[in-house]
Amino acid sequence: MKEGRRYGIIGIAVCLMAAGVWVVGEITGQATSAGVTVAASEAVTTAPLSHQEGQFIPLGQPLRTAPSPRSSRDFDRYYELRAYDGAPPAIPHPVATEQAANDGCSGCHQYGGWAPEFAAEAPRTPHPELSACRQCHVPQRTEELFRSTTWQRRSPPEIHLAALPTSPPPIPHELQMRENCLGCHGASAVPELRTTHPERPGCLQCHVPQAPAGTWSRGGGAP
Amino acid sequence: MDLTRRTMIRGMAAQAAMLMAARLVPGVRFSAIAEARPAALQWKKAPCRFCGTGCGVLVGIEGGRAVAVKGDPDSPVNRGLLCVKGYHVVQALYGEDRLQKALVRRDGKFVEVPIQEALDLVASKMKESIEQRGKDSVAVYGSGQWTIPDGYVASKLVKGCIGTNNLEANARLCMASAVTGFLSSFGLDEPMGCYQDIDHGDTFVLWGNNMAEMHPVLFSRILERKQADPRVRIIDLATRSTRTSLAADRSMLFNPQTDLAIANAICQELIAQDRIDQGFMERFVSIHRGKTDIGYGLEDGFSFSDEATPASFEELVEFLADYTPEAVAELSGISAKDIRYLASLYGDPNRNVVSFWCMGVNQHTRGTWMNNLIYNIHLLVGKISRPGNSPFSLTGQPSACGTVREVGTLTHKLPKGVVMNEEHRQKAADIWQVPVENIQPKPTYHTVEMFRALDRGDITFLWVQVTNPMVTMPKLGRYRSGAEKEGRFLVVSDVYPTPTTDVADVVLPSAMWIEREGFYGNSERRTQHFEQMLEPPGEAMSDTWQLIEVARRLGYEKQFPWSEEEHIESIWNEYRRFHAGPKHEMATYEMLRERPGVMWPCPDGKETLWRYNATYDPACEQGPFDFYGKPDHRAWLWLRPYEVPPEVPDDDYPFWLDTGRVLEHWHTGSMTRRVPILHRAMPKAYAELHPDDAARLGVRHGQRVRLTSRRGALELEASVGGRGNPSPGQVFVPFFDEGFLINELTLDAFCPISKQPDYKKCAVRVEKV
Amino acid sequence: MPILSYLAYPAAGRQAELKHQLNSLPECTVHAPEAGGGEVLVLVTDTPDEKAEKDLRVRLEGIEDLQCLALVFGHRETDGAAVEGEL
């Protein structure tokens, strides 16, 4: 059983308070089946669609969003490819060659979009200025391990921590290497992370980073 | 389910109820919402555990475990970027088979014993060996993965207290030619420049250095520089086509060993094109001739020492006359046009040139010469010790510079200077509080000779810390059977079982990296502190403390008086005394705790970015340049010829064998192979063949081949059109995989000056299985 | 290993006593609202297994100052299983 699914967390509303719902992001699938309204998966469809049969359409500006009915990626898979929230994800698809550090990665990942070759939404890189992709992203050639590990995966950050039901939720993760929000929240994102209002480009105007308590501080200045 | 996660779920449960309460009961407020959430992630700084680049990482600690990593945006080394190894470095702590208990071999089998009992045994065996066969029968072998305090207490114990020079480190196999190169050309070790040279340079010449895989963060910095400035040129000089070659503007493939001739041809061409900086040469450079036909060290007891004879510029011109581009083109396989192009880049007064190199130049039977030759090129055109003009020797281990080179954990070295020098011995004896007679004036065994001595029985007690010689020694078969012989007592301190712990008599579990406090020193003279962030597993103990425990059992309490709480700080403060002065002043403990590393020399709290340049270096007594490491205050340009390697392909063994690393694994893979993503990306070693050779042998990608040298044979899968592409007639095998020990085949020939073996060239036969 | 959270309504004027009584049960964590914030407590229970959970509920029902207990959140370790209906 996948780690993300291991928790059967359900919300039972007392009385008939349908408006007051606690959403636990990582188990949205089960939560839905348990009859709880899940705001996160209700992505608003705005034309035009990013995917069309048989061709790859890179997403330039302006930004569009659309849930992909055929995307193989979901929230669990998103975290499965990462050792921890913020780790560079492994490459989940075959690669053409080992020889170059950037073997046409940017063809699909510079803007993201539907990649018919893999029948998947190609996520958009949040750091297109870095060109040696294979420095950090590696394919997985085997499922096996050399020796087993006692690594404990940290739970993904909690989401929907808005102070009020109508206020924009704060950003629950670090922004380093993820300065471009559309990498994970744009049209090609997994449904749970997709923005509902891509026409508003100034994300940080309303969504503010939530600094963790007890941040390490260096004290003296850097040289 | 672990406690942290339960805490978090409890917090979520509480918050859900609080939010519900807020809806149901008007005006209700819970101040406990924030408190109910789990303890926040804490980020702490450390240098990366792996290579010598020395990237700053921030380690996320939560609930007593390391759970995340990010690049330290404040680190001037990597500015927030890491490579795939760095992003997963913390997972290397959590292999299920971490050594947690000391193991002692009894009747051929390991039994677990309390660590104090194992340390008693180590001390008594050490004593026994010294009593029965003398001080020179015991040896300690470490590596550039030692923290600075590890290496420092090892040196104090072995050289100062026991009184033998039997102290060596894996860095001999990795960096020794760089050291002798620096010492012969400048009189002082380590680069004059720093990584900022990348930002100021516009021409990058990589000498046998697959930087895209081995120093990826620095290579990305070059690529960013290239994006910003279209004039930037990257030239890859190599024997094998790699990711670096594909990213470079020009890839030039040369025949093994002919880099010596190519460097001389560049010098010849610079003179022919009249590109010499005459003023710089006259004021700051002196020319010397060394010995030639210097041998390869293949026999036990080989010894060599170089001798410098002054030479004139005319003699240099005469010496270089043999190295015309045309003559060298024939030998090297690089066209005369390409050689002239290289010379024009180095000679262009409007270009800033940085040369980078690492193992290709250092693991070379003429490694010291190759280092000298690259300096020669930079000296002839005066492109040195200035921002963006820099011959830059990179390192492979996280503290090869900090520990092995600066602390001096090599047979001839002391923390300051060499054992042969009476003044240096006196200084060490004063700081260590030992009689000066304790410190022996004669070096004993360099690494290869140390393992030969173990095989012969001249050494009967060997303590190995933080390295894996039973994977890395060349001509491995001999040295493994030597270590297994009756009457040899082998102690191995490590964090995981390895082929070296397999042949040990005692295995000591070590605390790894951020499970203890320490310092590393990287390629650009940057010292980096890391605090203890985690508890080591089981009875694991830092290498520093293991050495201290044994030293005290041997009766050296006076020299090792520190408490567990403050010993790292005290050791640092004692060690700093060796380097006091503007030429090597080390930063204070307090500075190092605060900053993302500090570069030495750091007199008056100010880092020196470019040494020997009076604008930047307060140690200069004259301007604009002062190569104060040499008595004549000049850099030495050496006449170093091309000489053939000891073993070349012939009819029986027609292929060159080249060994090296891959991006995903570091050193012998004992840590990186336990990181899931890294092992899954690169699960096993392979033999890279050129497609033409593969076709001729009838071998396809993935089929098995047998490689045979005069020393051993190995069967493994062929890689054709895989990660790299060797030139025809060459085969490349990475050495990270303990399941395929390629060093069974390699040759233990070494550079006679540095004693560093050549892992890049020997002759093998390749057959389809 | 169930973790549940409830809203616990005290009998009129008995909030402090209820808080004290709930706090004395080792499986329970109680969060009270800020002063003057209203008559309700948040109760989180963490029990090792189903049986302990049921035993705890019996004990909770025996507390006189507790007027009403409303379940808000349920979590259990086993795969995908929902908290049973009779809770």
Side-chain angles (χ1 to χ4, degrees):
Chain A
M1 202 75 193
K2 285 170 188 166
E3 201 167 359
R5 291 192 204 272
R6 223 189 285 138
Y7 317 105
I9 305 178
I10 62 159
I12 300 174
V14 212
C15 316
L16 290 170
M17 298 295 299
V21 170
W22 175 255
V23 178
V24 179
E26 62 177 317
I27 42 73
T28 44
Q30 286 159 8
T32 309
S33 65
V36 176
T37 312
V38 179
S41 62
E42 289 176 347
V44 176
T45 305
T46 41
L49 296 182
S50 69
H51 58 89
Q52 283 179 16
E53 191 66 37
Q55 56 178 323
F56 173 74
I57 301 174
L59 281 166
Q61 307 284 345
L63 309 154
R64 293 156 295 180
T65 185
S68 165
R70 294 181 306 176
S71 178
S72 54
R73 293 191 313 138
D74 59 15
F75 206 51
D76 285 349
R77 183 72 177 140
Y78 178 88
Y79 279 110
E80 213 174 74
L81 293 172
R82 290 155 170 81
Y84 52 89
D85 171 51
I91 301 173
H93 56 77
V95 291
T97 163
E98 275 293 306
Q99 277 175 2
N102 178 353
D103 172 45
C105 309
S106 45
C108 293
H109 293 289
Q110 181 156 17
Y111 298 111
W114 182 250
E117 193 183 348
F118 297 110
E121 288 282 0
R124 172 186 180 139
T125 176
H127 40 254
E129 72 284 5
L130 297 169
S131 57
C133 311
R134 296 289 296 277
Q135 171 178 328
C136 300
H137 301 283
V138 292
Q140 303 286 273
R141 304 185 182 289
T142 172
E143 280 289 299
E144 283 165 28
L145 294 177
F146 175 64
R147 298 285 184 267
S148 52
T149 177
T150 62
W151 171 254
Q152 288 174 7
R153 191 190 291 263
R154 187 169 180 257
S155 303
E158 296 170 66
I159 57 175
H160 298 282
L161 294 174
L164 299 166
T166 53
S167 59
I171 301 168
H173 58 76
E174 303 264 338
L175 289 181
Q176 192 176 330
M177 300 295 285
R178 292 183 277 181
E179 291 91 346
N180 185 344
C181 306
L182 296 166
C184 294
H185 301 287
S188 50
V190 297
E192 293 87 340
L193 298 181
R194 216 173 274 157
T195 176
T196 58
H197 43 275
E199 69 282 8
R200 298 194 183 118
C203 312
L204 296 181
Q205 176 187 331
C206 301
H207 304 278
V208 293
Q210 194 178 44
T215 306
W216 169 75
S217 110
R218 183 168 278 120
Chain B
M1 188 167 24
D2 64 292
L3 287 172
T4 318
R5 184 157 277 157
R6 285 198 79 74
T7 309
M8 202 192 80
I9 292 168
R10 278 201 302 273
M12 285 161 59
Q15 278 187 73
M18 287 169 192
L19 287 179
M20 191 62 69
R23 306 214 132 246
L24 293 173
V25 184
V28 73
R29 287 188 316 276
F30 285 89
S31 59
I33 288 195
E35 287 164 31
R37 298 175 59 186
L41 191 63
Q42 280 218 323
W43 295 100
K44 297 178 184 235
K45 77 167 172 102
C48 179
R49 172 65 181 80
F50 298 127
C51 85
T53 303
C55 293
V57 301
L58 295 177
V59 181
I61 304 285
E62 189 182 71
R65 292 178 66 93
V67 295
V69 180
K70 59 181 177 177
D72 185 351
D74 292 336
S75 169
V77 173
N78 53 308
R79 307 169 184 177
L81 184 66
L82 298 172
C83 75
V84 67
K85 294 185 296 297
Y87 280 117
H88 297 91
V89 56
V90 292
Q91 290 191 298
L93 297 159
Y94 294 113
E96 198 179 37
D97 54 342
R98 266 299 293 271
L99 294 168
Q100 307 200 13
K101 278 274 176 70
L103 304 171
V104 171
R105 194 180 293 280
R106 286 188 187 137
D107 303 324
K109 286 212 172 82
F110 278 132
V111 289
E112 284 188 358
V113 301
I115 192 163
Q116 295 298 335
E117 192 183 318
L119 291 164
D120 289 342
L121 178 65
V122 171
S124 73
K125 284 286 179 182
M126 217 164 176
K127 243 184 236 167
E128 184 187 305
S129 190
I130 293 168
E131 279 160 15
Q132 293 179 0
R133 283 170 294 272
K135 294 169 179 178
D136 286 345
S137 71
V138 299
V140 173
Y141 182 65
S143 81
Q145 302 173 69
W146 255 344
T147 68
I148 290 172
D150 300 336
Y152 182 76
V153 296
S155 180
K156 189 172 181 177
L157 171 63
V158 175
K159 300 198 172 201
C161 297
I162 296 173
T164 170
N165 286 323
N166 284 353
L167 177 67
E168 275 279 302
N170 173 87
R172 178 74 76 178
L173 312 176
C174 165
M175 298 313 312
S177 300
V179 179
T180 48
F182 275 116
L183 291 178
S184 50
S185 290
F186 305 100
L188 288 173
D189 192 15
E190 299 198 29
M192 48 288 299
C194 61
Y195 294 153
Q196 279 185 39
D197 283 318
I198 297 174
D199 313 330
H200 299 287
D202 50 40
T203 309
F204 301 93
V205 184
L206 315 179
W207 290 81
N209 181 205
N210 180 7
M211 217 173 163
E213 286 196 71
M214 307 322 159
H215 300 90
V217 171
L218 297 178
F219 194 65
S220 275
R221 191 155 162 181
I222 296 179
L223 293 178
E224 279 188 80
R225 175 86 186 90
K226 187 173 162 59
Q227 274 179 359
D229 183 351
R231 281 185 75 247
V232 168
R233 290 289 174 274
I234 305 169
I235 313 296
D236 180 48
L237 270 165
T239 60
R240 164 177 170 256
S241 179
T242 63
R243 284 185 179 173
T244 308
S245 318
L246 294 186
D249 294 283
R250 290 294 295 278
S251 157
M252 301 178 187
L253 295 174
F254 61 86
N255 299 325
Q257 191 85 356
T258 64
D259 43 357
L260 294 158
I262 294 165
N264 276 322
I266 293 170
C267 294
Q268 198 274 347
E269 189 60 20
L270 286 170
I271 294 173
Q273 291 179 9
D274 198 18
R275 292 292 197 181
I276 307 303
D277 185 338
Q278 294 289 354
F280 185 88
M281 283 292 291
E282 277 161 26
R283 286 182 66 189
F284 307 116
V285 179
S286 58
I287 303 171
H288 297 263
R289 193 188 289 274
K291 288 185 186 169
T292 55
D293 196 12
I294 60 178
Y296 304 101
L298 284 162
E299 60 281 8
D300 281 30
F302 171 90
S303 88
F304 172 83
S305 58
D306 205 9
E307 212 170 276
T309 327
S312 66
F313 190 77
E314 288 66 37
E315 285 174 84
L316 171 69
V317 174
E318 192 188 329
F319 166 82
L320 290 173
D322 294 342
Y323 298 93
T324 60
E326 279 70 22
V328 172
E330 197 170 322
L331 178 74
S332 68
I334 291 188
S335 71
K337 200 174 145 213
D338 280 348
I339 293 170
R340 292 201 164 89
Y341 175 62
L342 282 168
S344 73
L345 290 176
Y346 275 107
D348 184 342
N350 295 316
R351 280 194 171 273
N352 289 345
V353 190
V354 187
S355 302
F356 281 112
W357 67 95
C358 198
M359 290 307 117
V361 164
N362 294 339
Q363 291 180 337
H364 195 308
T365 49
R366 295 293 177 266
T368 309
W369 289 10
M370 242 346 274
N371 276 270
N372 293 145
L373 286 169
I374 298 174
Y375 298 132
N376 288 359
I377 299 172
H378 282 265
L379 291 172
L380 280 171
V381 292
K383 292 189 178 182
I384 194 164
S385 291
R386 287 188 287 145
N389 281 310
S390 202
F392 207 116
S393 158
L394 296 168
T395 46
Q397 301 227 348
S399 199
C401 285
T403 305
V404 179
R405 292 161 70 167
E406 292 159 27
V407 176
T409 58
L410 296 168
T411 184
H412 64 292
K413 283 277 292 164
L414 287 168
K416 177 80 178 182
V418 291
V419 295
M420 298 79 90
N421 182 311
E422 198 184 337
E423 218 174 287
H424 297 163
R425 289 199 303 276
Q426 188 61 54
K427 182 177 187 116
D430 290 346
I431 294 175
W432 285 344
Q433 295 180 37
V434 296
V436 70
E437 305 76 45
N438 270 23
I439 304 172
Q440 300 304 305
K442 209 169 159 295
T444 52
Y445 309 113
H446 57 82
T447 296
V448 172
E449 200 54 38
M450 181 184 271
F451 281 90
R452 286 174 182 171
L454 184 71
D455 180 37
R456 292 192 304 263
D458 297 338
I459 288 175
T460 49
F461 175 99
L462 176 65
W463 187 352
V464 177
Q465 285 194 324
V466 273
T467 192
N468 198 0
M470 293 304 130
V471 176
T472 57
M473 286 301 292
K475 195 179 172 181
L476 184 57
R478 174 179 179 189
Y479 301 114
R480 188 178 44 235
S481 64
E484 286 171 331
K485 276 182 183 166
E486 222 18 64
R488 313 290 187 276
F489 198 82
L490 185 63
V491 180
V492 178
S493 304
D494 213 323
V495 298
Y496 288 113
T498 66
T500 307
T501 63
D502 286 349
V503 299
D505 296 285
V506 173
V507 178
L508 298 173
S510 289
M512 179 178 161
W513 190 42
I514 52 174
E515 291 166 354
R516 43 80 51 90
E517 184 185 1
F519 310 85
Y520 287 155
N522 79 350
S523 293
E524 61 162 359
R525 297 177 276 114
R526 180 178 300 277
T527 314
Q528 306 196 59
H529 172 267
F530 52 98
E531 63 177 283
Q532 181 181 349
M533 305 177 202
L534 303 170
E535 284 302 315
E539 290 205 283
M541 183 186 278
S542 78
D543 294 320
T544 304
W545 200 254
Q546 290 174 16
L547 287 158
I548 291 173
E549 288 274 355
V550 169
R552 288 177 178 173
R553 283 163 168 79
L554 295 173
Y556 305 116
E557 292 92 346
K558 187 180 149 217
Q559 285 79 15
F560 299 88
W562 312 295
S563 74
E564 256 187 288
E565 289 68 41
E566 50 72 53
H567 68 290
I568 297 294
E569 183 178 356
S570 301
I571 289 167
W572 178 257
N573 288 333
E574 182 178 310
Y575 165 58
R576 268 188 83 214
R577 294 170 59 195
F578 278 95
H579 291 312
K583 293 175 186 173
H584 204 133
E585 184 81 38
M586 305 298 274
T588 62
Y589 180 75
E590 291 71 26
M591 270 176 90
L592 289 166
R593 279 195 75 97
E594 280 180 7
R595 294 201 199 176
V598 182
M599 289 172 67
W600 63 263
C602 184
D604 306 319
K606 198 171 167 296
E607 293 179 315
T608 304
L609 298 180
W610 286 277
R611 289 200 289 171
Y612 313 132
N613 179 331
T615 312
Y616 304 95
D617 185 351
C620 287
E621 292 163 25
Q622 58 173 49
F625 295 96
D626 179 3
F627 293 96
Y628 50 73
K630 287 288 190 187
D632 60 357
H633 286 251
R634 285 162 181 262
W636 287 21
L637 189 149
W638 287 86
L639 275 51
R640 302 295 199 189
Y642 167 80
E643 282 185 5
V644 292
E647 187 176 270
V648 293
D650 55 20
D651 290 347
D652 293 333
Y653 301 95
F655 281 84
W656 285 108
L657 170 66
D658 177 15
T659 69
R661 273 189 44 217
V662 292
L663 169 77
E664 291 85 350
H665 290 298
W666 189 78
H667 207 230
T668 60
S670 57
M671 292 180 290
T672 48
R673 295 188 87 202
R674 287 169 171 87
V675 174
I677 194 174
L678 299 177
H679 176 71
R680 286 174 174 154
M682 183 55 78
K684 58 175 186 275
Y686 49 79
E688 258 172 22
L689 287 167
H690 187 275
D692 293 351
D693 289 326
R696 200 162 38 76
L697 293 162
V699 175
R700 284 199 307 273
H701 183 78
Q703 289 185 330
R704 286 180 83 78
V705 290
R706 184 187 301 112
L707 308 185
T708 313
S709 79
R710 291 179 176 85
R711 295 152 293 278
L714 183 67
E715 275 184 26
L716 70 179
E717 280 179 16
S719 168
V720 184
R723 179 69 60 91
N725 192 13
S727 298
Q730 295 178 22
V731 51
F732 171 85
V733 180
F735 74 98
F736 69 83
D737 189 344
E738 65 181 57
F740 299 97
L741 292 169
I742 190 59
N743 278 319
E744 304 270 10
L745 278 69
T746 49
L747 184 64
D748 60 348
F750 51 78
C751 168
I753 302 173
S754 70
K755 324 306 194 230
Q756 176 170 357
D758 187 332
Y759 291 88
K760 304 291 187 187
K761 303 168 207 80
C762 73
V764 294
R765 186 163 65 228
V766 182
E767 295 153 302
K768 188 179 173 182
V769 178
Chain C
M1 295 174 75
I3 294 176
L4 306 174
S5 76
Y6 304 87
L7 295 185
Y9 293 88
R14 306 291 293 171
Q15 174 148 335
E17 290 76 6
L18 176 63
K19 184 181 169 194
H20 180 74
Q21 286 180 67
L22 292 175
N23 259 336
S24 65
L25 300 171
E27 299 91 339
C28 294
T29 315
V30 182
H31 301 276
E34 285 172 23
E39 293 274 288
V40 67
L41 295 172
V42 164
L43 169 66
V44 180
T45 68
D46 186 351
T47 41
D49 53 40
E50 293 298 301
K51 191 177 170 305
E53 218 295 298
K54 286 195 172 148
D55 291 348
L56 175 65
R57 280 187 54 84
V58 172
R59 272 181 286 154
L60 289 175
E61 281 160 13
I63 298 175
E64 289 213 344
D65 292 328
L66 181 64
Q67 189 185 59
C68 169
L69 194 63
L71 176 68
V72 178
F73 177 102
H75 164 81
R76 126 171 350 170
E77 253 251 284
T78 47
D79 292 346
V83 180
E84 286 151 319
E86 74 247 32
L87 284 179

